[in-house]
Amino acid sequence: MTLKKAGNIFVDADAYTELASWHEQAARLRREDPVHLVEAEGFDPFYALTRHADVFEVERRSDTFLNTQASVLLPSAVYEEQRASGLELKTLVHMDAPEHLQYRGLTNDWFKPAALRRSLEGRVEELARSFVDRMAGMGGECDFARDVALLYPLHVIMSTLGVPEEDEPRMLRLTQELFGSEDPEFGGGKDRNQVMMDAMTDFYAYFTELTEQRRAEPRDDIASVLANGAVDGQPLGELQRLSYYTIVATAGHDTTSNALAGGVEALLRNPDQFAALKNDPSLLDNAVEEILRWTTPVRHFLRYSTRDQQVGDTTVREGERVLLSYLSANRDEDVFEDSLRFDIHRADADRHLAFGTGVHFCLGAHLARMELKYFLLELLPRLDRMELVGPVEYTASSFVGGVKRMPVRYTFN
Ligand code: HEM
């Protein structure tokens, strides 16, 4: 395969369904052309950064590498249609300084470890238990990705926002359509752009209503913070507020689902590590970091250069853009020894970039870790055995993805 073809792994959503071959190509790019120019049909050109050091460095230069409105890789036509429709989201990942800090400041305290422990930890524990109970009630077989991993983080995020349980199916469908929409299974065969537009419109309607409720009767949830929040002494603009709901609801869901399903998959494929973790829960914190490294559910973000500058040996010109391949950076053999091996004992697992780094570092990182930890803490002691019983399938998505189907069989103690 030519290097040019290897560069297609970033634009071809299907490439992400064959992860072993995806990682082979990424490893080759890390070795031979770590700042690789991708010129693919339908996409504006970009440099794909595959090394940990380059991804890290560009994230740290947030004054000269901006997120902009177009921080996720989409075909140029999709961006044009979004712009024309006026339905462009403006979330934290679409903002830069000084606006970004102001908007991030609104909810930052909410997501700090101490605050989360107070407000959400008990609920997360309760939800973890109820989902393990649910597994116990399924007769020893389920699709772990679809029946468990997809739903548990959704409940957590809905509790964070204050969305009632009866609205959960609607939210599930919408987040799938917004974030997994390159995968035909989640788009009902409709035109991809149309699926995203419909999902956004539905989201807007839902959260507009929620805002009104929380203005009338504020509670102790994110919805109330956003409904009544102010930036520069002014209430949030409608688009900014709705975008904020959207990013919390979506970023907090699929990402964690993919980490959980992919983490359990990795444990099932490495029974010795599964057993070690079951016997010694003190390994859990590090296991969670390794799961995050291993799964890297957010595959990339983009950054736009505001001046001519060096990245590795390449000069990236003003106005050009780079793709931060977290998935590749987290397999970089210069940082992680034997990087293609899942290893819960890995001493430096927490050097992963699954949450990014710098000013945009994942707002929900502590919450995500808490969710993964409590689920495993609840599941492992109750589990006698668990095995894969059918093919594991992965999402066709170049942005957020991971295990989509994972049939398992298990017995509880
Ligand atoms: C395993 C789960 C998760 C992964 C892998 C993940 C990954 C990421 C990544 C890579 C970024 C971009 C960081 C950067 O540009 O440097 C990000 C940003 C963000 N994440 Fe997460 N995330 C996860 C869970 C969550 C959860 C549970 C929430 C909860 C609400 C959340 C909310 C956000 C928000 C709001 C941002 C934007 C932050 C900003 O731009 O300032 N994420 N996440």
Side-chain angles (χ1 to χ4, degrees):
M1 190 184 281
T2 59
L3 267 184
K4 186 170 164 40
K5 264 203 155 158
N8 278 335
I9 58 171
F10 304 102
V11 294
D12 176 10
D14 284 333
Y16 287 83
T17 63
E18 301 287 342
L19 282 174
S21 106
W22 193 99
H23 281 299
E24 242 173 69
Q25 299 311 319
R28 180 165 170 217
L29 288 168
R30 283 196 298 276
R31 270 191 320 269
E32 296 178 28
D33 195 16
V35 183
H36 176 73
L37 182 63
V38 179
E39 292 176 294
E41 207 187 319
F43 291 83
D44 291 343
F46 60 89
Y47 289 99
L49 309 191
T50 41
R51 280 191 184 159
H52 188 283
D54 294 334
V55 171
F56 187 88
E57 176 61 26
V58 165
E59 290 239 48
R60 292 287 161 156
R61 288 190 219 161
S62 58
D63 51 340
T64 55
F65 271 112
L66 303 184
N67 274 42
T68 82
Q69 186 67 44
S71 57
V72 173
L73 186 68
L74 290 172
S76 320
V78 174
Y79 269 120
E80 274 153 34
E81 279 180 51
Q82 279 186 10
R83 241 168 261 144
S85 73
L87 263 180
E88 273 184 306
L89 285 176
K90 182 127 187 175
T91 75
L92 292 179
V93 301
H94 303 111
M95 291 180 188
D96 292 291
E99 191 185 27
H100 171 253
L101 200 62
Q102 292 175 317
Y103 278 87
R104 187 161 166 132
L106 278 171
T107 54
N108 215 22
D109 285 352
W110 234 94
F111 287 99
K112 286 195 174 141
L116 282 179
R117 270 198 294 279
R118 254 195 332 270
S119 62
L120 266 186
E121 193 167 34
R123 177 73 180 141
V124 171
E125 260 187 289
E126 186 183 296
L127 285 169
R129 192 167 316 121
S130 84
F131 270 89
V132 176
D133 287 345
R134 203 184 276 202
M135 273 179 81
M138 279 178 194
E141 267 189 49
C142 73
D143 180 331
F144 183 81
R146 195 194 52 199
D147 301 333
V148 182
L150 196 58
L151 300 173
Y152 158 65
L154 182 67
H155 274 268
V156 174
I157 217 67
M158 292 304 129
S159 298
T160 311
L161 280 173
V163 171
E165 253 186 82
E166 63 265 23
D167 294 337
E168 192 190 300
R170 180 176 173 189
M171 287 295 133
L172 174 63
R173 186 176 51 77
L174 290 179
T175 55
Q176 288 301 330
E177 288 173 358
L178 271 180
F179 266 5
S181 57
E182 285 158 303
D183 195 315
E185 195 170 321
F186 296 126
K190 282 193 287 178
D191 165 54
R192 178 172 170 226
N193 203 30
Q194 192 58 47
V195 170
M196 284 181 88
M197 290 297 170
D198 290 351
M200 275 190 216
T201 312
D202 205 1
F203 244 100
Y204 277 26
Y206 184 86
F207 285 116
T208 301
E209 207 183 305
L210 194 67
T211 304
E212 279 159 21
Q213 284 172 15
R214 291 302 189 270
R215 282 195 176 140
E217 273 181 69
R219 294 189 202 167
D220 183 21
D221 53 29
I222 292 274
S224 302
V225 175
L226 298 179
N228 303 294
V231 165
D232 273 345
Q234 300 293 318
L236 264 69
E238 193 176 348
L239 177 65
Q240 278 79 359
R241 194 183 56 252
L242 291 168
S243 297
Y244 219 129
Y245 285 128
T246 312
I247 195 167
V248 174
T250 52
H253 173 215
D254 247 14
T255 48
T256 318
S257 301
N258 282 309
L260 180 58
V264 170
E265 181 203 11
L267 289 170
L268 295 179
R269 292 193 192 279
N270 294 276
D272 51 330
Q273 298 189 47
F274 191 105
L277 197 55
K278 198 168 148 53
N279 289 333
D280 184 0
S282 75
L283 295 172
L284 256 178
D285 285 330
N286 204 59
V288 164
E289 297 310 315
E290 177 66 350
I291 286 172
L292 289 163
R293 182 190 80 88
W294 187 252
T295 57
T296 313
V298 175
R299 306 322 199 173
H300 80 267
F301 267 109
L302 295 169
R303 296 290 190 268
Y304 294 74
S305 183
T306 62
R307 62 166 196 225
D308 294 0
Q309 54 186 318
Q310 286 297 116
V311 178
D313 295 333
T314 305
T315 307
V316 177
R317 303 271 169 212
E318 180 183 343
E320 290 184 329
R321 59 184 190 162
V322 297
L323 177 141
L324 315 173
S325 179
Y326 300 119
L327 191 58
S328 171
N330 283 344
R331 293 287 193 283
D332 188 340
E333 36 294 281
D334 285 348
V335 176
F336 304 106
E337 204 186 319
D338 202 3
S339 67
L340 297 179
R341 186 180 132 71
F342 177 78
D343 180 4
I344 59 166
H345 302 284
R346 187 182 288 284
D348 53 6
D350 64 355
R351 289 189 67 196
H352 69 74
L353 292 173
F355 291 129
T357 182
V359 296
H360 286 277
F361 178 77
C362 176
L363 188 64
H366 301 299
L367 176 57
R369 288 183 171 119
M370 187 191 272
E371 289 179 58
L372 294 170
K373 184 174 170 178
Y374 276 116
F375 190 86
L376 292 174
L377 206 54
E378 193 61 42
L379 177 71
L380 292 175
R382 291 172 63 181
L383 210 53
D384 187 26
R385 53 195 302 273
M386 185 168 173
E387 59 188 344
L388 295 168
V389 287
V392 177
E393 290 174 41
Y394 303 89
T395 334
S397 169
S398 59
F399 179 35
V400 174
V403 173
K404 178 171 79 171
R405 294 274 178 273
M406 190 167 99
V408 292
R409 189 180 299 139
Y410 47 88
T411 45
F412 278 32
N413 299 322

